Amino acid sequence: MSQNGQYPTLDELLASMGVAGHRICEIDASEAGAGNISLFLGWEIDLDARFPVTEEIVLPVPAPALAGHTVLSTGSGRRLRQIKDDPEAAVGAVQVHAGGEKATLRTSPRRQFERLTSEFNSHLAVHQDQVDRRGIDFQALVHAQPPHLTYLSHIPAYRTTAAMNERILRWEPESIVSLPQGVGVLEFMIPGSDELQAANVAGLREHEIVLWSKHGTMSRSDLSVTRAVDRVEYAETGAKYEYMDLVAGGRAQGLTREEITAVAREFDVDSPWA
């Protein structure tokens, strides 16, 4: 995330969250207050000017690897499309204490949420796992509800990782390059539950985007929040083509396995789906 030794400022990070939230809404992947975004920041950052209000909170899951660092997160019920116009109303900054059990939540006087997103446990658990395992200093997580991808997960024949990737990665040559590990498919689990949290952590070790069946997706990126959104777009576009083909009676060929393999070879992509 650091470029030429320089980390992005809080203003830049909030602006990027606004761009990401707006794009998620543009592709109809976040109705009303659905969807959420978080960023892990592994460097010191000045929060005083934009988030002067403080309160102590108990974290939903222990996060010792994040101690001394900050997680920016959207608030429960906030519309992702509104982050761009007023990020302080929609975003809080969590400064994790030593030991990772508690934190200081910093917000703006313009805050318009009572608590952080209801899926903050899943966000925090993924940040903890990835930072602990890989030592990264930045990570963006985006939870969205892309309609075509979510629709396909309601069809039992698509509800495995192998079946889903076989069908959605065949529509664009770019798909195997942008989603080399494909989409990890999880069974339906109660939103915000410990069960979903654990499955989500495991899934995002193997994939950069996972599909919560009958619910939505979570994607991650070590580069930027917009790159995490890109993964949603590529997966959703493949699902849209697949839906179109279902409606048309399955008449389109799509890319053959040999064609996908040739693309992967040309772009030096290591993928189990090529």
Side-chain angles (χ1 to χ4, degrees):
M1 184 62 180
S2 173
Q3 298 180 357
N4 300 320
Q6 297 294 318
Y7 287 103
T9 65
L10 181 60
D11 289 353
E12 291 169 333
L13 291 165
L14 292 174
S16 71
M17 292 177 76
V19 169
H22 184 70
R23 183 58 185 157
I24 284 292
C25 293
E26 282 186 327
I27 63 172
D28 296 325
S30 176
E31 68 280 2
N36 32 74
I37 298 171
S38 71
L39 308 181
F40 165 73
L41 315 178
W43 63 90
E44 291 188 13
I45 192 161
D46 185 4
L47 301 169
D48 292 342
R50 300 190 76 160
F51 296 121
V53 180
T54 64
E55 64 180 279
E56 302 306 297
I57 62 171
V58 176
L59 294 175
V61 295
L66 311 186
H69 300 303
T70 300
V71 176
L72 301 178
S73 173
T74 51
S76 179
R78 301 314 304 151
R79 301 169 183 86
L80 295 188
R81 60 182 176 268
Q82 294 176 326
I83 301 174
K84 187 175 180 181
D85 295 328
D86 191 0
E88 284 101 330
V91 176
V94 178
Q95 295 179 306
V96 182
H97 295 177
E101 300 281 346
K102 298 180 180 180
T104 299
L105 173 61
R106 302 192 58 148
T107 57
S108 165
R110 297 204 308 281
R111 164 181 171 176
Q112 293 183 15
F113 56 91
E114 291 186 10
R115 62 186 187 281
L116 297 173
T117 170
S118 60
E119 266 121 13
F120 187 59
N121 64 333
S122 286
H123 283 261
L124 194 64
V126 174
H127 288 310
Q128 161 63 27
D129 184 67
Q130 293 287 328
V131 172
D132 184 53
R133 291 174 60 250
R134 300 196 294 124
I136 54 176
D137 62 2
F138 174 84
Q139 181 171 241
L141 297 175
V142 175
H143 167 52
Q145 296 180 182
H148 296 90
L149 198 56
T150 303
Y151 168 76
L152 292 181
S153 75
H154 282 267
I155 302 174
Y158 285 82
R159 209 162 48 241
T160 68
T161 297
M164 184 67 73
N165 286 290
E166 180 183 351
R167 306 309 293 179
I168 69 171
L169 295 180
R170 66 191 181 118
W171 294 111
E172 293 184 315
E174 294 89 347
S175 295
I176 198 66
V177 178
S178 299
L179 299 172
Q181 301 310 310
V183 177
V185 178
L186 310 180
E187 282 293 336
F188 174 76
M189 293 168 233
I190 301 299
S193 66
D194 292 343
E195 181 185 25
L196 176 57
Q197 169 200 305
N200 187 57
V201 167
L204 285 170
R205 288 176 184 165
E206 304 297 325
H207 307 271
E208 291 174 314
I209 178 170
V210 294
L211 173 59
W212 303 350
S213 286
K214 306 181 183 181
H215 183 172
T217 60
M218 181 172 278
S219 55
R220 64 175 175 84
S221 172
D222 301 347
L223 180 63
S224 69
V225 64
T226 47
R227 185 60 59 90
V229 172
D230 288 346
R231 295 189 170 113
V232 181
E233 285 200 70
Y234 276 112
E236 172 64 0
T237 298
K240 186 175 181 179
Y241 275 112
E242 183 67 18
Y243 173 80
M244 291 164 58
D245 192 48
L246 285 175
V247 172
R251 293 182 294 179
Q253 181 185 36
L255 294 165
T256 65
R257 185 64 179 257
E258 291 75 18
E259 289 168 335
I260 294 172
T261 299
V263 172
R265 186 181 301 116
E266 179 68 22
F267 289 89
D268 196 25
V269 171
D270 182 15
S271 170
W273 314 112

